[in-house]
PDB file of all heavy atoms in Angstrom:
ATOM      1  N   MET W 189      18.076 -23.815 -44.385  1.00  0.00           N
ATOM      2  CA  MET W 189      18.667 -25.028 -43.869  1.00  0.00           C
ATOM      3  C   MET W 189      19.703 -24.735 -42.686  1.00  0.00           C
ATOM      4  O   MET W 189      19.764 -25.465 -41.794  1.00  0.00           O
ATOM      5  CB  MET W 189      19.279 -25.865 -44.949  1.00  0.00           C
ATOM      6  CG  MET W 189      18.296 -26.445 -45.909  1.00  0.00           C
ATOM      7  SD  MET W 189      18.886 -27.893 -46.877  1.00  0.00           S
ATOM      8  CE  MET W 189      19.086 -29.114 -45.579  1.00  0.00           C
ATOM      9  N   LEU W 190      20.392 -23.606 -42.861  1.00  0.00           N
ATOM     10  CA  LEU W 190      21.282 -23.220 -41.811  1.00  0.00           C
ATOM     11  C   LEU W 190      20.552 -22.908 -40.526  1.00  0.00           C
ATOM     12  O   LEU W 190      20.909 -23.326 -39.389  1.00  0.00           O
ATOM     13  CB  LEU W 190      22.162 -22.072 -42.264  1.00  0.00           C
ATOM     14  CG  LEU W 190      23.067 -21.495 -41.077  1.00  0.00           C
ATOM     15  CD1 LEU W 190      24.099 -22.496 -40.642  1.00  0.00           C
ATOM     16  CD2 LEU W 190      23.710 -20.205 -41.543  1.00  0.00           C
ATOM     17  N   ILE W 191      19.417 -22.124 -40.683  1.00  0.00           N
ATOM     18  CA  ILE W 191      18.587 -21.814 -39.503  1.00  0.00           C
ATOM     19  C   ILE W 191      18.129 -23.054 -38.842  1.00  0.00           C
ATOM     20  O   ILE W 191      18.144 -23.195 -37.615  1.00  0.00           O
ATOM     21  CB  ILE W 191      17.437 -20.943 -39.976  1.00  0.00           C
ATOM     22  CG1 ILE W 191      18.011 -19.541 -40.377  1.00  0.00           C
ATOM     23  CG2 ILE W 191      16.495 -20.730 -38.840  1.00  0.00           C
ATOM     24  CD1 ILE W 191      16.943 -18.725 -41.154  1.00  0.00           C
ATOM     25  N   ILE W 192      17.650 -24.068 -39.645  1.00  0.00           N
ATOM     26  CA  ILE W 192      17.112 -25.307 -39.064  1.00  0.00           C
ATOM     27  C   ILE W 192      18.208 -26.063 -38.315  1.00  0.00           C
ATOM     28  O   ILE W 192      18.034 -26.560 -37.208  1.00  0.00           O
ATOM     29  CB  ILE W 192      16.522 -26.166 -40.207  1.00  0.00           C
ATOM     30  CG1 ILE W 192      15.258 -25.496 -40.758  1.00  0.00           C
ATOM     31  CG2 ILE W 192      16.191 -27.554 -39.647  1.00  0.00           C
ATOM     32  CD1 ILE W 192      14.715 -26.143 -42.037  1.00  0.00           C
ATOM     33  N   TYR W 193      19.374 -26.106 -38.997  1.00  0.00           N
ATOM     34  CA  TYR W 193      20.500 -26.909 -38.363  1.00  0.00           C
ATOM     35  C   TYR W 193      21.414 -26.211 -37.539  1.00  0.00           C
ATOM     36  O   TYR W 193      22.330 -26.792 -36.994  1.00  0.00           O
ATOM     37  CB  TYR W 193      21.304 -27.577 -39.490  1.00  0.00           C
ATOM     38  CG  TYR W 193      20.675 -28.904 -40.022  1.00  0.00           C
ATOM     39  CD1 TYR W 193      19.633 -28.866 -41.012  1.00  0.00           C
ATOM     40  CD2 TYR W 193      21.047 -30.115 -39.458  1.00  0.00           C
ATOM     41  CE1 TYR W 193      19.071 -30.077 -41.476  1.00  0.00           C
ATOM     42  CE2 TYR W 193      20.468 -31.293 -39.886  1.00  0.00           C
ATOM     43  CZ  TYR W 193      19.475 -31.262 -40.920  1.00  0.00           C
ATOM     44  OH  TYR W 193      18.893 -32.447 -41.354  1.00  0.00           O
ATOM     45  N   TYR W 194      21.151 -24.925 -37.287  1.00  0.00           N
ATOM     46  CA  TYR W 194      22.103 -24.030 -36.525  1.00  0.00           C
ATOM     47  C   TYR W 194      22.424 -24.641 -35.158  1.00  0.00           C
ATOM     48  O   TYR W 194      23.572 -24.710 -34.736  1.00  0.00           O
ATOM     49  CB  TYR W 194      21.626 -22.720 -36.428  1.00  0.00           C
ATOM     50  CG  TYR W 194      22.482 -21.689 -35.779  1.00  0.00           C
ATOM     51  CD1 TYR W 194      23.603 -21.236 -36.434  1.00  0.00           C
ATOM     52  CD2 TYR W 194      22.291 -21.324 -34.382  1.00  0.00           C
ATOM     53  CE1 TYR W 194      24.527 -20.354 -35.745  1.00  0.00           C
ATOM     54  CE2 TYR W 194      23.148 -20.456 -33.785  1.00  0.00           C
ATOM     55  CZ  TYR W 194      24.284 -19.978 -34.447  1.00  0.00           C
ATOM     56  OH  TYR W 194      25.128 -19.135 -33.814  1.00  0.00           O
ATOM     57  N   PRO W 195      21.465 -25.108 -34.394  1.00  0.00           N
ATOM     58  CA  PRO W 195      21.739 -25.692 -33.042  1.00  0.00           C
ATOM     59  C   PRO W 195      22.688 -26.913 -33.167  1.00  0.00           C
ATOM     60  O   PRO W 195      23.516 -27.028 -32.261  1.00  0.00           O
ATOM     61  CB  PRO W 195      20.351 -26.153 -32.559  1.00  0.00           C
ATOM     62  CG  PRO W 195      19.344 -25.268 -33.267  1.00  0.00           C
ATOM     63  CD  PRO W 195      19.932 -25.098 -34.621  1.00  0.00           C
ATOM     64  N   ALA W 196      22.641 -27.642 -34.183  1.00  0.00           N
ATOM     65  CA  ALA W 196      23.519 -28.855 -34.263  1.00  0.00           C
ATOM     66  C   ALA W 196      24.938 -28.512 -34.621  1.00  0.00           C
ATOM     67  O   ALA W 196      25.881 -29.296 -34.403  1.00  0.00           O
ATOM     68  CB  ALA W 196      22.947 -29.824 -35.305  1.00  0.00           C
ATOM     69  N   VAL W 197      25.164 -27.330 -35.235  1.00  0.00           N
ATOM     70  CA  VAL W 197      26.531 -26.975 -35.655  1.00  0.00           C
ATOM     71  C   VAL W 197      27.125 -25.823 -34.832  1.00  0.00           C
ATOM     72  O   VAL W 197      28.311 -25.451 -35.064  1.00  0.00           O
ATOM     73  CB  VAL W 197      26.574 -26.577 -37.165  1.00  0.00           C
ATOM     74  CG1 VAL W 197      26.031 -27.731 -37.982  1.00  0.00           C
ATOM     75  CG2 VAL W 197      25.761 -25.353 -37.464  1.00  0.00           C
ATOM     76  N   SER W 198      26.351 -25.361 -33.854  1.00  0.00           N
ATOM     77  CA  SER W 198      26.789 -24.181 -33.092  1.00  0.00           C
ATOM     78  C   SER W 198      26.917 -24.381 -31.588  1.00  0.00           C
ATOM     79  O   SER W 198      27.508 -23.630 -30.933  1.00  0.00           O
ATOM     80  CB  SER W 198      25.884 -22.984 -33.322  1.00  0.00           C
ATOM     81  OG  SER W 198      24.619 -23.273 -32.652  1.00  0.00           O
ATOM     82  N   GLY W 199      26.337 -25.508 -31.090  1.00  0.00           N
ATOM     83  CA  GLY W 199      26.263 -25.743 -29.661  1.00  0.00           C
ATOM     84  C   GLY W 199      25.130 -25.056 -28.920  1.00  0.00           C
ATOM     85  O   GLY W 199      25.094 -25.182 -27.702  1.00  0.00           O
ATOM     86  N   LEU W 200      24.177 -24.447 -29.581  1.00  0.00           N
ATOM     87  CA  LEU W 200      23.067 -23.792 -29.032  1.00  0.00           C
ATOM     88  C   LEU W 200      22.244 -24.842 -28.316  1.00  0.00           C
ATOM     89  O   LEU W 200      21.920 -25.891 -28.788  1.00  0.00           O
ATOM     90  CB  LEU W 200      22.243 -23.127 -30.066  1.00  0.00           C
ATOM     91  CG  LEU W 200      21.013 -22.348 -29.602  1.00  0.00           C
ATOM     92  CD1 LEU W 200      21.516 -21.071 -28.840  1.00  0.00           C
ATOM     93  CD2 LEU W 200      20.149 -21.912 -30.757  1.00  0.00           C
ATOM     94  N   THR W 201      21.919 -24.575 -27.060  1.00  0.00           N
ATOM     95  CA  THR W 201      21.121 -25.499 -26.201  1.00  0.00           C
ATOM     96  C   THR W 201      19.690 -25.457 -26.608  1.00  0.00           C
ATOM     97  O   THR W 201      19.043 -24.509 -26.608  1.00  0.00           O
ATOM     98  CB  THR W 201      21.313 -25.184 -24.710  1.00  0.00           C
ATOM     99  OG1 THR W 201      22.660 -25.217 -24.309  1.00  0.00           O
ATOM    100  CG2 THR W 201      20.494 -26.178 -23.895  1.00  0.00           C
ATOM    101  N   VAL W 202      19.144 -26.665 -27.092  1.00  0.00           N
ATOM    102  CA  VAL W 202      17.735 -26.831 -27.423  1.00  0.00           C
ATOM    103  C   VAL W 202      17.309 -28.195 -26.870  1.00  0.00           C
ATOM    104  O   VAL W 202      18.076 -28.902 -26.272  1.00  0.00           O
ATOM    105  CB  VAL W 202      17.670 -26.835 -28.986  1.00  0.00           C
ATOM    106  CG1 VAL W 202      17.988 -25.468 -29.532  1.00  0.00           C
ATOM    107  CG2 VAL W 202      18.498 -27.913 -29.611  1.00  0.00           C
ATOM    108  N   SER W 203      16.135 -28.516 -27.166  1.00  0.00           N
ATOM    109  CA  SER W 203      15.639 -29.844 -26.710  1.00  0.00           C
ATOM    110  C   SER W 203      16.322 -31.017 -27.442  1.00  0.00           C
ATOM    111  O   SER W 203      16.692 -30.883 -28.616  1.00  0.00           O
ATOM    112  CB  SER W 203      14.127 -29.868 -26.931  1.00  0.00           C
ATOM    113  OG  SER W 203      13.841 -30.111 -28.302  1.00  0.00           O
ATOM    114  N   ALA W 204      16.483 -32.058 -26.726  1.00  0.00           N
ATOM    115  CA  ALA W 204      17.120 -33.250 -27.361  1.00  0.00           C
ATOM    116  C   ALA W 204      16.277 -33.763 -28.452  1.00  0.00           C
ATOM    117  O   ALA W 204      16.869 -34.343 -29.459  1.00  0.00           O
ATOM    118  CB  ALA W 204      17.341 -34.309 -26.220  1.00  0.00           C
ATOM    119  N   LYS W 205      14.963 -33.705 -28.344  1.00  0.00           N
ATOM    120  CA  LYS W 205      14.115 -34.178 -29.414  1.00  0.00           C
ATOM    121  C   LYS W 205      14.322 -33.388 -30.720  1.00  0.00           C
ATOM    122  O   LYS W 205      14.277 -33.960 -31.724  1.00  0.00           O
ATOM    123  CB  LYS W 205      12.638 -34.064 -28.996  1.00  0.00           C
ATOM    124  CG  LYS W 205      12.169 -35.056 -27.926  1.00  0.00           C
ATOM    125  CD  LYS W 205      10.749 -34.881 -27.588  1.00  0.00           C
ATOM    126  CE  LYS W 205      10.301 -35.872 -26.554  1.00  0.00           C
ATOM    127  NZ  LYS W 205       8.863 -35.785 -26.209  1.00  0.00           N
ATOM    128  N   TYR W 206      14.589 -32.118 -30.554  1.00  0.00           N
ATOM    129  CA  TYR W 206      14.802 -31.346 -31.810  1.00  0.00           C
ATOM    130  C   TYR W 206      16.109 -31.775 -32.548  1.00  0.00           C
ATOM    131  O   TYR W 206      16.102 -31.975 -33.747  1.00  0.00           O
ATOM    132  CB  TYR W 206      14.956 -29.845 -31.482  1.00  0.00           C
ATOM    133  CG  TYR W 206      15.097 -28.949 -32.714  1.00  0.00           C
ATOM    134  CD1 TYR W 206      13.996 -28.564 -33.506  1.00  0.00           C
ATOM    135  CD2 TYR W 206      16.327 -28.531 -33.114  1.00  0.00           C
ATOM    136  CE1 TYR W 206      14.112 -27.771 -34.600  1.00  0.00           C
ATOM    137  CE2 TYR W 206      16.517 -27.786 -34.242  1.00  0.00           C
ATOM    138  CZ  TYR W 206      15.408 -27.375 -35.016  1.00  0.00           C
ATOM    139  OH  TYR W 206      15.527 -26.597 -36.108  1.00  0.00           O
ATOM    140  N   ILE W 207      17.161 -32.017 -31.771  1.00  0.00           N
ATOM    141  CA  ILE W 207      18.444 -32.431 -32.368  1.00  0.00           C
ATOM    142  C   ILE W 207      18.239 -33.782 -33.001  1.00  0.00           C
ATOM    143  O   ILE W 207      18.733 -34.056 -34.104  1.00  0.00           O
ATOM    144  CB  ILE W 207      19.500 -32.566 -31.325  1.00  0.00           C
ATOM    145  CG1 ILE W 207      19.848 -31.142 -30.792  1.00  0.00           C
ATOM    146  CG2 ILE W 207      20.715 -33.212 -31.884  1.00  0.00           C
ATOM    147  CD1 ILE W 207      20.508 -30.219 -31.793  1.00  0.00           C
ATOM    148  N   ASP W 208      17.478 -34.639 -32.379  1.00  0.00           N
ATOM    149  CA  ASP W 208      17.277 -36.007 -32.973  1.00  0.00           C
ATOM    150  C   ASP W 208      16.485 -35.961 -34.234  1.00  0.00           C
ATOM    151  O   ASP W 208      16.695 -36.722 -35.144  1.00  0.00           O
ATOM    152  CB  ASP W 208      16.511 -36.855 -31.920  1.00  0.00           C
ATOM    153  CG  ASP W 208      17.398 -37.291 -30.785  1.00  0.00           C
ATOM    154  OD1 ASP W 208      18.591 -37.267 -30.891  1.00  0.00           O
ATOM    155  OD2 ASP W 208      16.853 -37.553 -29.686  1.00  0.00           O
ATOM    156  N   MET W 209      15.593 -34.982 -34.389  1.00  0.00           N
ATOM    157  CA  MET W 209      14.807 -34.790 -35.584  1.00  0.00           C
ATOM    158  C   MET W 209      15.665 -34.405 -36.778  1.00  0.00           C
ATOM    159  O   MET W 209      15.326 -34.659 -37.958  1.00  0.00           O
ATOM    160  CB  MET W 209      13.719 -33.632 -35.397  1.00  0.00           C
ATOM    161  CG  MET W 209      12.563 -34.134 -34.543  1.00  0.00           C
ATOM    162  SD  MET W 209      11.477 -32.774 -34.128  1.00  0.00           S
ATOM    163  CE  MET W 209      11.074 -32.078 -35.838  1.00  0.00           C
ATOM    164  N   LEU W 210      16.837 -33.763 -36.472  1.00  0.00           N
ATOM    165  CA  LEU W 210      17.680 -33.332 -37.565  1.00  0.00           C
ATOM    166  C   LEU W 210      18.550 -34.490 -38.167  1.00  0.00           C
ATOM    167  O   LEU W 210      19.096 -34.229 -39.259  1.00  0.00           O
ATOM    168  CB  LEU W 210      18.651 -32.240 -37.047  1.00  0.00           C
ATOM    169  CG  LEU W 210      18.065 -31.036 -36.468  1.00  0.00           C
ATOM    170  CD1 LEU W 210      19.069 -30.101 -35.931  1.00  0.00           C
ATOM    171  CD2 LEU W 210      17.147 -30.264 -37.468  1.00  0.00           C
ATOM    172  N   LYS W 211      18.576 -35.576 -37.565  1.00  0.00           N
ATOM    173  CA  LYS W 211      19.421 -36.713 -38.129  1.00  0.00           C
ATOM    174  C   LYS W 211      18.634 -37.458 -39.219  1.00  0.00           C
ATOM    175  O   LYS W 211      17.980 -38.499 -38.989  1.00  0.00           O
ATOM    176  CB  LYS W 211      19.661 -37.660 -36.931  1.00  0.00           C
ATOM    177  CG  LYS W 211      20.432 -37.028 -35.796  1.00  0.00           C
ATOM    178  CD  LYS W 211      20.597 -37.930 -34.604  1.00  0.00           C
ATOM    179  CE  LYS W 211      21.266 -37.216 -33.453  1.00  0.00           C
ATOM    180  NZ  LYS W 211      21.281 -38.082 -32.269  1.00  0.00           N
ATOM    181  N   ILE W 212      18.782 -36.865 -40.417  1.00  0.00           N
ATOM    182  CA  ILE W 212      18.067 -37.397 -41.557  1.00  0.00           C
ATOM    183  C   ILE W 212      18.722 -38.633 -42.147  1.00  0.00           C
ATOM    184  O   ILE W 212      18.151 -39.283 -43.022  1.00  0.00           O
ATOM    185  CB  ILE W 212      17.847 -36.274 -42.620  1.00  0.00           C
ATOM    186  CG1 ILE W 212      19.148 -35.808 -43.125  1.00  0.00           C
ATOM    187  CG2 ILE W 212      16.985 -35.222 -42.113  1.00  0.00           C
ATOM    188  CD1 ILE W 212      19.001 -34.815 -44.332  1.00  0.00           C
ATOM    189  N   MET W 213      19.942 -38.903 -41.735  1.00  0.00           N
ATOM    190  CA  MET W 213      20.668 -40.112 -42.158  1.00  0.00           C
ATOM    191  C   MET W 213      20.886 -40.990 -40.999  1.00  0.00           C
ATOM    192  O   MET W 213      21.246 -40.458 -39.897  1.00  0.00           O
ATOM    193  CB  MET W 213      21.979 -39.765 -42.907  1.00  0.00           C
ATOM    194  CG  MET W 213      21.765 -38.993 -44.161  1.00  0.00           C
ATOM    195  SD  MET W 213      23.405 -38.797 -45.028  1.00  0.00           S
ATOM    196  CE  MET W 213      22.943 -37.530 -46.240  1.00  0.00           C
ATOM    197  N   LYS W 214      20.918 -42.276 -41.108  1.00  0.00           N
ATOM    198  CA  LYS W 214      21.158 -43.149 -40.001  1.00  0.00           C
ATOM    199  C   LYS W 214      22.601 -43.114 -39.499  1.00  0.00           C
ATOM    200  O   LYS W 214      22.919 -43.353 -38.387  1.00  0.00           O
ATOM    201  CB  LYS W 214      20.889 -44.603 -40.420  1.00  0.00           C
ATOM    202  CG  LYS W 214      19.386 -44.985 -40.567  1.00  0.00           C
ATOM    203  CD  LYS W 214      19.252 -46.405 -40.916  1.00  0.00           C
ATOM    204  CE  LYS W 214      17.699 -46.741 -41.039  1.00  0.00           C
ATOM    205  NZ  LYS W 214      17.458 -48.158 -41.396  1.00  0.00           N
TER     206      LYS W 214
END
């Protein structure tokens, strides 16, 4: 789960679509 969410908690630049996929709660 850390590997999956690492971009969202570290600032790593990835696609915006990937970050949006991580938002499992509204």
